[in-house]
Amino acid sequence: MTEKKLLQNKLLLHFSSVLVVFAWVVFLLHRYLGFLQAEVMYRNGQLMTTTATYIVLMLMLFITVLQGIGIVMYYKKPANKRLPLLITLTLTMTSIATIAAGSGLIEYHFSIFVVMALITMFQRRKLVIIASSIFLTQHIGGYLFFPELLCGSTTYSFLLLLIHAIFLIGITIAATVMINQTKRTDLEYAKVEKQNEEKIQELLREVKKASQHVYTDATQLQQQTERVSSASAGIAAVIEQTRAQVNETTELVTAASKTGNQLD
């Protein structure tokens, strides 16, 4: 696994930790401190039932366990291939738990878009589709069986729910297109980078080849210079020897000439 993917795991694990803590804050504020209680009554006409509270509590415990497993998995093996999927599930379920903990207020539904944006950072279409499928299941199942946890009311309009689904499908398509475009751009960049690397290697081979030619020529020139120097030394020795012989002959002739003069 590349360093980039390890950084993604670490960063998104931190984000999921923050969102899990935020979900717990929302749950505690709404359940025990009466946070936005009047607003919930005004919009939904009812507060969260005891059964719904228990379901939300189970969701909170579930996302906490998921986050704990993710942290342990990361510190044991940061490059674990299953970690992105686990983080995706944690982020998705945390958004669902936040919506339920907030009595289905529409403002908490924006967490879906935050989560989808974070999951897109993995650059894996499969994870985006898994998350969007879970959200669609949540909307359909929640509307049919626990509308107060999804919408805060049992009389929520199906058309409004359909609008939610349309936006969810829209962000899924947008995320998938963005991932495809990013991967295509990365492939083109890698191709150009490979071509540049090949050109650099070819240039280095040409430079090395030229250097070898220069070295060979220099070696041959040095050898020729040494041969010329050797020949010059030989010629100088011959000249010196000839000079010595000439001097010796001159001396002999001079001595013979003096002897002839004495005889006369």
Side-chain angles (χ1 to χ4, degrees), residues 31-97:
R31 181 65 182 85
Y32 297 105
L33 298 180
F35 182 67
L36 296 177
Q37 188 172 8
E39 184 71 18
V40 171
M41 284 294 298
Y42 174 75
R43 294 190 186 183
N44 304 335
Q46 63 181 15
L47 296 177
M48 188 181 298
T49 63
T50 303
T51 301
T53 301
Y54 285 136
I55 294 175
V56 173
L57 182 59
M58 285 189 291
L59 282 173
M60 301 303 299
L61 294 175
F62 180 62
I63 63 173
T64 303
V65 171
L66 282 179
Q67 183 63 21
I69 293 174
I71 292 173
V72 172
M73 185 182 294
Y74 176 80
Y75 282 102
K76 281 188 175 182
K77 187 180 180 182
N80 195 313
K81 293 182 179 181
R82 296 180 180 179
L83 191 55
L85 176 59
L86 181 62
I87 294 175
T88 297
L89 293 176
T90 303
L91 288 170
T92 305
M93 295 306 299
T94 298
S95 175
I96 292 174

Side-chain angles (χ1 to χ4, degrees), residues 102-239:
S103 297
L105 290 177
I106 192 64
E107 288 76 9
Y108 293 119
H109 283 253
F110 286 101
S111 64
I112 294 176
F113 302 106
V114 174
V115 165
M116 293 298 291
L118 291 174
I119 294 173
T120 304
M121 292 177 63
F122 281 122
Q123 295 297 308
R124 292 172 60 177
R125 294 183 295 269
K126 180 180 178 181
L127 297 180
V128 172
I129 293 173
I130 289 174
S132 61
S133 299
I134 294 174
F135 280 128
L136 285 174
T137 302
Q138 172 222 7
H139 278 66
I140 296 173
Y143 181 81
L144 294 176
F145 302 105
F146 300 101
E148 64 271 23
L149 296 180
L150 176 67
C151 318
S153 173
T154 56
T155 59
Y156 198 76
S157 171
F158 179 76
L159 290 178
L160 293 177
L161 180 70
L162 187 61
I163 292 174
H164 285 225
I166 291 173
F167 276 109
L168 181 58
I169 294 173
I171 193 174
T172 301
I173 294 174
T176 303
V177 171
M178 186 171 64
I179 291 173
N180 290 338
Q181 183 61 37
T182 301
K183 287 189 174 183
R184 189 178 298 113
T185 302
D186 290 343
L187 287 175
E188 292 176 356
Y189 176 79
K191 184 179 179 180
V192 172
E193 188 176 15
K194 183 179 179 180
Q195 291 175 347
N196 292 336
E197 182 66 23
E198 291 175 351
K199 290 180 181 179
I200 292 174
Q201 292 299 324
E202 181 64 24
L203 180 60
L204 291 175
R205 284 193 293 268
E206 292 294 331
V207 171
K208 184 178 180 180
K209 186 177 179 180
S211 300
Q212 290 175 345
H213 283 308
V214 171
Y215 177 77
T216 301
D217 293 341
T219 302
Q220 293 176 351
L221 180 61
Q222 183 180 5
Q223 292 173 350
Q224 292 175 358
T225 301
E226 290 175 353
R227 286 196 293 269
V228 170
S229 298
S230 178
S232 298
I235 293 172
V238 171
I239 293 174

Side-chain angles (χ1 to χ4, degrees), residues 9-23 63 66-67 70-71 86-92 94 118:
N9 287 347
K10 181 179 180 180
L11 182 62
L12 289 171
L13 190 63
H14 287 166
F15 275 123
S16 65
S17 297
V18 172
L19 291 180
V20 169
V21 171
F22 177 76
I63 63 173
L66 282 179
Q67 183 63 21
I71 292 173
L86 181 62
I87 294 175
T88 297
L89 293 176
T90 303
L91 288 170
T92 305
T94 298
L118 291 174

